[in-house]
Amino acid sequence: MRELTVDLGERSYPIYIGEGLLQEAPSFFEKHGISKKSPLLIISDDKVAPHYLEPLANALSAAGFQPSTAIVSSGESSKSLAVLEDLVTHALKAGLDRKSAIVALGGGVVGDLAGFVAASYMRGVKFIQIPTTILAHDSSVGGKVAVNHPLAKNIIGAFHQPEMVLYDLNTLQTLPPRDVRAGLSEVVKHGFIWDDAFVQWCDENSERLLALDPEALGYALYKGCSVKAAVVSKDERENDLRAILNLGHTIGHALEAVAGYGELLHGEAISIGMIGSAKLGLRYGAPEDVYTTTKRVLAKCGLPVKLPEHFDVDAIMEAMMHDKKFSESTMIFVVPTAIGEVEIKKDVPASWVREIVEELKQEAG
Amino acid sequence: MRELTVDLGERSYPIYIGEGLLQEAPSFFEKHGISKKSPLLIISDDKVAPHYLEPLANALSAAGFQPSTAIVSSGESSKSLAVLEDLVTHALKAGLDRKSAIVALGGGVVGDLAGFVAASYMRGVKFIQIPTTILAHDSSVGGKVAVNHPLAKNIIGAFHQPEMVLYDLNTLQTLPPRDVRAGLSEVVKHGFIWDDAFVQWCDENSERLLALDPEALGYALYKGCSVKAAVVSKDERENDLRAILNLGHTIGHALEAVAGYGELLHGEAISIGMIGSAKLGLRYGAPEDVYTTTKRVLAKCGLPVKLPEHFDVDAIMEAMMHDKKFSESTMIFVVPTAIGEVEIKKDVPASWVREIVEELKQEAG
Ligand SMILES: NC(=O)c1ccc[n+]([C@@H]2O[C@H](COP(=O)([O-])OP(=O)(O)OC[C@H]3O[C@@H](n4cnc5c(N)ncnc54)[C@H](O)[C@@H]3O)[C@@H](O)[C@H]2O)c1
Ligand SMILES: NC(=O)c1ccc[n+]([C@@H]2O[C@H](COP(=O)([O-])OP(=O)(O)OC[C@H]3O[C@@H](n4cnc5c(N)ncnc54)[C@H](O)[C@@H]3O)[C@@H](O)[C@H]2O)c1
Ligand SMILES: [Zn+2]
Ligand SMILES: [Zn+2]
């Protein structure tokens, strides 16, 4: 088992990564002082629950905890105030009080949703994350929790740090392959913003990752979480440093906004976005291998590196302008300067960005 | 103008109390660094807005701020997730960003609602309170914000401290007399838990308060806020000390739960509850004048001190037991031991409480 600490003063918490942690959950709960007198609420979704909810709830019951459970529909649409209200109904009916804890068993959707329930129920109760996707390594660090509004994603939320994160690598075995690849996109991103040795490791171990080799997965998630933890420890509330986590996200978000429903997963959009950022890096004089390595590693992880022909460049530019309220002619971008190093460029010519988005359609991919 | 500071370390904030502060809002906003580049959202209700919204918005616009406005229905039912979602729509359409502020112009309902919008919009933006009721002196200190759930009041919320509180005494002139009296109930409560000299002052100045004399009102709100600020400064997140603020509330909440809709305002229920607590005090050996003074001062403020005959004692007992999950035979109560002093008694016999609730119907009132 690997362990790391997200260092946030009195809100610090550990992330445990290993095989079989679901079965060992009761001893972790005991170690972290989770109450047996107050009921717990485990929140999961209808794709994760059939595999893992009963084993977890049974293990906790057997150890004297009082788990109750709630299952939401799989997918982004569960991150809504309506579902939040339902979950509060569950919590009230199960008798959760100020000393209760809310447990998220699922991917980033369940984590964000359950985390906001924990942040707001009785103005804040304890929160425990049991992530079941690779992408959720990202959401398990930093304490950002939220639901969506019909007009904007993640716009209603809080910062609410968990008591601990229990990452059971065995749960990843049932993850659909496309979600495996999309999750790796953020893992690789954490390498590119911070750690060239880890980029090289990803370059050499992509096949083991795609095959869900537990030892490789455990290491990659440990490294990914460590990078994010290092960044947020220095900048809990999203000021300057934290912005580097957005590598690939300015173009990526615009692609998600413009794509048809379900066409691009977040990690896929970010992958194409990172190629764009690497190309921008070249214009600022970064060595050629920043770009070639970015492209090679993402491609090895089975991620898209080329913008599909039918995407409309005007629409993408407009989505970026709207999203970030850039000025007419310049934009802000996270740009790689070397492998494992990025800089924030505050006056990137919008004309460059347009050219690069067009070039992304021409990528060999 | 009076000024006090709610002392909460880096979340400390000032409360300004005086006449005509609404017109002076722009200079206070400037002093506290509220952005003129980012839009503001002023939230009010449909009884307050006709009097005060336009003057406030116009003053802010004239000074170069960018206020937008949203008006909710007056009354407790606006404290809902549905209304929160509507307000977020307003905020998004008005273009509020991370540097924007949300302004509550109204009573405790608008304060709690707008405060939770501010706490959760983009995971937290600045919040400014402009209270227009006497009761809101209570909600303007302590940072508790929340909306209701169909099954429970104030159950979804956050702790979110305002940047400042601007209490314009002139706005209180239009407050309906029944709300004036109900607000005085919590003012008087703050005297009884902390400050015997202030109790005496209330005893001598109740007529001026009921007549909305600005000098008397300003002093009373200053004292009420000061007591609450002293308590929450020592105990921001509701542990032991903060419990003393619940004087009169255990019985009071039960009365609200049992009463027909609109029959008792919160302050009225608390008034009867405080009489009950004073009677409990006598059983624990407090001097007789704790009870006689409590009763005299509340009666002078035009508040009910007698439980109406038709209330069902069994139902009240059940509501208390349910609300607080007391054990079968003992209850926890805030009990006055002298004027301006209370103690928390952890094993009050439930039989005493029942007897006292019955006696409350016999009070001369
Ligand atoms: N809070 C943050 O800092 C942060 C960071 C990144 C992403 N996010 C959020 O995370 C969400 C995306 O996360 P995600 O990709 O994990 O999405 P997800 O939770 O929707 O999971 C992806 C899919 O896999 C299924 N699934 C999950 N685990 C499974 C398992 N072990 N076996 C079988 N199926 C499984 C889910 O039901 C879903 O259909 C987005 O809402 C995004 O906004 C948040
Ligand atoms: N957050 C806290 O710490 C805290 C503490 C106490 C109470 N509260 C909350 O406060 C709420 C009660 O507050 P309230 O009594 O101020 O209720 P309120 O906001 O509903 O105001 C009472 C009535 O007076 C009207 N009104 C307000 N100001 C007016 C004015 N100047 N002129 C004319 N009409 C005016 C309102 O429209 C309403 O009809 C409850 O929801 C309660 O939960 C919160
Ligand atoms: Zn991302
Ligand atoms: Zn009260």
Side-chain angles (χ1 to χ4, degrees), chain B residues 138 186 189 249 266 270:
Chain B
D138 190 4
E186 302 271 10
K189 179 198 79 180
H249 279 62
H266 177 69
I270 297 322

Side-chain angles (χ1 to χ4, degrees), chain A residues 81 84-85 88-89 92 98 119-123 144-146 149-152 154-159 237-238, chain B residues 81 84-85 88-89 92 98 119-123 144-146 149-152 154-159 237-238:
Chain A
L81 287 177
L84 176 97
E85 189 156 73
V88 171
T89 308
L92 285 166
R98 288 209 165 72
S120 56
Y121 183 71
M122 294 189 160
R123 302 194 182 85
K144 282 187 175 186
V145 296
H149 178 279
L151 299 178
N154 293 329
I155 203 79
I156 304 171
F159 285 88
R237 288 220 160 219
E238 189 140 19
Chain B
L81 287 176
L84 176 97
E85 189 156 74
V88 171
T89 309
L92 285 166
R98 286 209 165 71
S120 55
Y121 183 72
M122 295 188 159
R123 302 193 183 84
K144 282 187 174 186
V145 297
H149 178 279
L151 299 179
N154 294 329
I155 203 78
I156 304 171
F159 284 88
R237 288 221 161 218
E238 188 139 19

Side-chain angles (χ1 to χ4, degrees), chain A residues 45 47-48 52 74 76 79 107-110 112 132-133 135-136 138-139 144 153-154 171 174-176 179 228:
Chain A
D45 77 24
K47 291 203 178 140
V48 176
Y52 308 112
S74 161
E76 190 68 25
K79 281 173 60 176
V109 163
V110 166
D112 280 11
T132 66
T133 65
L135 195 127
D138 190 5
S139 47
K144 282 187 175 186
K153 269 198 70 173
N154 293 329
T171 65
T174 52
L175 193 63
D179 288 297
K228 183 151 184 198

Side-chain angles (χ1 to χ4, degrees), chain A residues 38-356:
Chain A
S38 296
L40 307 170
L41 178 63
I42 310 172
I43 298 172
S44 191
D45 77 24
D46 58 14
K47 291 203 178 140
V48 176
H51 300 290
Y52 308 112
L53 183 54
E54 222 181 88
L56 175 63
N58 288 348
L60 289 169
S61 294
F65 291 96
Q66 301 176 45
S68 58
T69 61
I71 300 175
V72 303
S73 303
S74 161
E76 190 68 25
S77 63
S78 284
K79 281 173 60 176
S80 73
L81 287 177
V83 174
L84 176 97
E85 189 156 73
D86 268 4
L87 291 170
V88 171
T89 308
H90 267 91
L92 285 166
K93 290 197 171 157
L96 269 74
D97 60 38
R98 288 209 165 72
K99 297 196 168 132
S100 291
I102 305 245
V103 182
L105 174 68
V109 163
V110 166
D112 280 11
L113 171 65
F116 190 46
V117 175
S120 56
Y121 183 71
M122 294 189 160
R123 302 194 182 85
V125 296
K126 289 181 175 177
F127 176 43
I128 293 163
Q129 290 239 39
I130 306 188
T132 66
T133 65
I134 295 175
L135 195 127
H137 86 280
D138 190 5
S139 47
S140 68
V141 181
K144 282 187 175 186
V145 296
V147 297
N148 302 324
H149 178 279
L151 299 178
K153 269 198 70 173
N154 293 329
I155 203 79
I156 304 171
F159 285 88
H160 193 63
Q161 307 296 342
E163 300 298 306
M164 70 179 135
V165 177
L166 275 185
Y167 226 129
D168 184 343
L169 298 167
N170 295 347
T171 65
L172 300 174
Q173 297 301 324
T174 52
L175 193 63
R178 190 174 171 195
D179 288 297
V180 170
R181 298 190 295 268
L184 290 177
S185 182
E186 301 272 11
V187 170
V188 167
K189 179 199 78 180
H190 286 127
F192 276 104
I193 63 176
W194 200 262
D195 186 339
D196 61 333
F198 180 51
V199 170
Q200 198 185 324
W201 183 93
C202 291
D203 203 357
E204 289 160 5
N205 290 276
S206 56
E207 280 182 35
R208 292 173 68 205
L209 290 172
L210 289 170
L212 298 173
D213 171 303
E215 176 49 32
L217 266 186
Y219 180 74
L221 293 174
Y222 173 78
K223 293 300 280 185
C225 289
S226 301
V227 170
K228 183 151 184 198
V231 174
V232 302
S233 299
K234 291 194 183 130
D235 183 12
E236 190 177 354
R237 288 220 160 219
E238 189 140 19
N239 297 309
D240 290 334
L241 182 59
R242 200 161 171 154
I244 69 172
L245 297 167
N246 289 326
L247 176 69
H249 279 62
T250 302
I251 292 176
H253 281 150
L255 299 183
E256 285 180 279
V258 164
Y261 178 78
E263 187 180 354
L264 280 180
L265 293 181
H266 176 68
E268 294 166 346
I270 297 322
S271 176
I272 301 169
M274 280 193 274
I275 306 292
S277 309
K279 292 173 75 72
L280 211 44
L282 298 186
R283 297 212 180 193
Y284 281 103
E288 185 72 18
D289 74 342
V290 166
Y291 163 71
T292 53
T293 306
T294 302
K295 188 159 171 181
R296 184 176 63 250
V297 176
L298 290 169
K300 278 188 175 177
C301 291
L303 285 157
V305 293
K306 172 181 165 53
L307 181 63
E309 197 54 52
H310 67 276
F311 274 77
D312 181 52
V313 176
D314 285 337
I316 294 169
M317 292 304 293
E318 206 171 286
M320 265 186 273
M321 291 300 189
H322 180 77
D323 185 24
K324 301 281 174 177
K325 297 213 194 63
F326 292 127
S327 74
E328 288 285 289
S329 54
T330 64
M331 304 171 73
I332 304 171
F333 264 85
V334 185
V335 175
T337 49
I339 295 174
E341 279 180 40
V342 292
E343 262 179 27
I344 297 184
K345 301 282 186 195
K346 304 226 170 190
D347 43 14
V348 180
S351 60
W352 286 14
V353 177
R354 169 181 285 276
E355 285 159 25
I356 281 171

Side-chain angles (χ1 to χ4, degrees), chain B residues 220-235:
Chain B
L221 293 174
Y222 173 78
K223 293 299 281 185
C225 290
S226 301
V227 170
K228 183 151 184 198
V231 174
V232 303
S233 299
K234 290 195 184 128
D235 183 11

